[in-house]
Amino acid sequence: MADHPITVEATLAVHPEEDRFSRLRLIPWWDQQKISAARIVVIGAGALGNEILKNLALVGFAQVVVVDMDHIETSNLSRSVLFRASDVGSSKAVSIARGYMDLLPEATVHPIVANVMQHCGLGLFEWADIILAGLDNRETRLWINRAAWKVNRPWIDGAIEGINGVARVFPSGQPPCYECTLGETDWAILNRRMSCNLLLHEANPQGRVPTTPTISSIIGGIQVQEAVKVLHSLPTLASKGYVFEGLHHTSYVVEYTENPDCMSHYTLDSIVRLPQRSSELTLEQLMQLGRTDLDTQEVVVEFSRDIIHRLVCPRCGATEDVFVPVGAIDRTRGLCPDCAGPEPQVRIVQTLTSYKGESALADRTLDTLGLPLFDIFTVRSATSEISYCIAGDAAALLGPLEADTKEGR
Ligand SMILES: [Zn+2]
Ligand SMILES: [Zn+2]
């Protein structure tokens, strides 16, 4: 045999169907087409995000949006397979998208360099078939959980610390959800993150959790495997957690209990896609649309999240209209410029969560409220509701993947 090694040509002759995914197709239930067509949103491009995206690329997910606001530091390189030393200083989302397409050139990966809570409209979540998160904080997880519930999408969470980790699947509209799992300690940490007047207290200590590439590989691997199973309607870790303790190599599945008072369990009734951009619609026009569709005059327009619309100085009474996302104002910006001196005055933050027909707001276009593009607004009456996705903004968040939404499915 040594004189007659099998050549490449001979191998191809024996296996004419060989391609990149042919070994995956040998799994009886595997549907490569389903994977390739699935729309995936990954939030977080850190240690877990790298492993999640690496696996998504290897199994052939071809439509991916990745969201991360941070830039790459040298210390990230020990846990990030898709980053190169030359990427230090670059955006994590942009670099990871490039790394993804190096692995799978036929994929379209759109990076969003942003804070998902402030800058991503709910239209992004509605676009997704599955949302995967590789985060290091409860605040963003809680936000994703509520957003996923509103648009009825499943999400898969991963968390790592040291050489331990947990992966969990939260199916659409089915408790117990992530918020149901939160205990007193979690809420204490969550509440500490934001001061009572909504000014951001201190620099975000994210990205300092001690982790290894090995535990992120294990947990990120489970997350993507569960995503593949969700897509194929196979049994998953639905509303459960898979815990892996690296020190004693023990693993087990935890079951969660539904919290009947959980605030997350709310799914929008119906979502209508409007072709306009948010710059082409005023609050009053949107309200009018809702009045017509709901066939009643008594309605309010609810926002997807609170916005800070005004800062008021309790000392001198000066007010400043701002219209920015909650979390966008730090302590320094919150101080009254008119009361400078040895004892600066912190201003009171006023937030808005809906439009009730106030004349001062009526003519504001939807893009000037401090809400993100491609967002969803809900018009509600006493008895019914209708939600509008501002789909004219889709390209702003989906980039080249927007073309696919026009064709529908
Ligand atoms: Zn819940
Ligand atoms: Zn003042």
Side-chain angles (χ1 to χ4, degrees):
M1 282 299 284
D3 294 331
H4 304 283
I6 296 173
T7 63
V8 172
E9 288 78 3
T11 310
L12 286 174
V14 174
H15 301 288
E17 302 300 317
E18 288 276 292
D19 68 20
R20 176 191 281 260
F21 302 115
S22 45
R23 299 302 155 79
L24 300 175
R25 285 199 197 88
L26 293 178
I27 299 169
W29 48 263
W30 194 274
D31 183 342
Q32 195 63 47
Q33 185 53 38
K34 209 170 238 176
I35 289 172
S36 156
R39 299 161 168 187
I40 305 292
V41 170
V42 179
I43 299 159
L48 262 180
N50 265 269
E51 288 298 323
I52 291 168
L53 286 153
K54 176 207 79 182
N55 287 314
L56 290 173
L58 292 177
V59 301
F61 283 92
Q63 302 191 84
V64 180
V65 173
V66 55
V67 186
D68 196 301
M69 67 187 296
D70 289 336
H71 287 71
I72 299 169
E73 298 172 31
T74 305
S75 62
N76 298 137
L77 295 176
S78 63
R79 291 158 297 130
S80 307
V81 68
L82 296 176
F83 297 158
R84 298 289 167 264
S86 56
D87 291 332
V88 171
S90 305
S91 147
K92 285 184 179 177
V94 171
S95 295
I96 213 164
R98 191 226 51 231
Y100 195 108
M101 289 186 282
D102 282 349
L103 288 179
L104 187 65
E106 64 259 46
T108 305
V109 184
H110 182 60
I112 300 177
V113 183
N115 177 324
V116 71
M117 293 185 286
Q118 296 177 4
H119 303 300
C120 292
L122 293 183
L124 176 68
F125 291 80
E126 204 224 355
W127 172 84
D129 292 312
I130 302 174
I131 300 143
L132 289 131
L135 297 160
D136 59 8
N137 71 87
R138 292 166 178 80
E139 189 187 13
T140 313
R141 286 193 185 97
L142 178 59
W143 195 87
I144 291 169
N145 189 65
R146 290 179 176 177
W149 265 82
K150 282 183 190 166
V151 299
N152 206 29
R153 293 292 183 270
W155 76 284
I156 301 177
D157 184 39
I160 52 174
E161 183 157 6
I163 56 170
N164 306 319
V166 58
R168 335 189 236 201
V169 178
F170 299 108
S172 49
Q174 182 189 319
C177 72
Y178 172 74
E179 186 168 348
C180 291
T181 72
L182 297 177
E184 269 178 44
T185 317
D186 300 296
W187 283 112
I189 293 168
L190 273 163
N191 292 331
R192 210 180 306 139
R193 286 267 302 145
M194 299 290 283
S195 63
C196 56
N197 68 358
L198 298 170
L199 293 184
L200 213 54
H201 250 186
E202 62 219 43
N204 194 343
Q206 285 178 33
R208 298 280 180 269
V209 181
T211 62
T212 63
T214 42
I215 189 64
S216 55
S217 177
I218 292 164
I219 299 301
I222 298 282
Q223 285 182 266
V224 173
Q225 188 156 289
E226 289 300 303
V228 168
K229 287 162 60 189
V230 167
L231 212 54
H232 288 79
S233 306
L234 293 166
T236 65
L237 279 170
S239 303
K240 297 192 195 94
Y242 170 83
V243 179
F244 182 85
E245 290 175 344
L247 198 58
H248 300 103
H249 41 80
T250 48
S251 65
Y252 53 93
V253 172
V254 283
E255 304 220 10
Y256 300 112
T257 312
E258 179 179 352
N259 173 4
D261 300 323
C262 179
M263 301 285 287
S264 284
H265 305 170
Y266 166 60
T267 302
L268 300 173
D269 247 6
S270 64
I271 302 173
V272 175
R273 292 171 68 87
L274 298 180
Q276 291 97 330
R277 293 166 190 265
S278 53
S279 56
E280 297 167 342
L281 276 171
T282 65
L283 276 173
E284 188 56 30
Q285 286 170 334
L286 191 68
M287 182 178 252
Q288 202 51 49
L289 197 60
R291 285 187 176 122
T292 306
D293 286 343
L294 295 180
D295 198 20
T296 172
Q297 291 301 303
E298 301 302 313
V299 298
V300 295
V301 179
E302 292 180 352
F303 306 155
S304 64
R305 62 209 87 191
D306 291 1
I307 51 173
I308 298 176
H309 77 116
R310 185 170 292 160
L311 302 172
V312 179
C313 177
R315 194 187 292 167
C316 72
T319 65
E320 182 190 357
D321 288 349
V322 286
F323 292 96
V324 294
V326 167
I329 294 200
D330 61 20
R331 245 186 122 68
T332 315
R333 173 86 168 76
L335 298 176
C336 178
D338 299 332
C339 294
E343 276 185 64
Q345 179 63 48
V346 178
R347 289 180 288 179
I348 295 162
V349 170
Q350 292 188 347
T351 59
L352 266 186
T353 184
S354 63
Y355 167 63
K356 301 185 179 73
E358 301 92 327
S359 54
L361 299 172
D363 294 330
R364 272 197 172 262
T365 52
L366 306 182
D367 62 326
T368 62
L369 296 168
L371 289 165
L373 297 177
F374 200 24
D375 209 9
I376 293 177
F377 293 78
T378 301
V379 179
R380 186 185 302 283
S381 73
T383 54
S384 56
E385 63 167 68
I386 186 168
S387 295
Y388 299 104
C389 177
I390 313 303
D393 290 341
L397 283 199
L398 296 175
L401 290 164
E402 185 237 356
D404 158 72
T405 66
K406 287 181 175 158
E407 292 154 19
R409 309 192 200 207

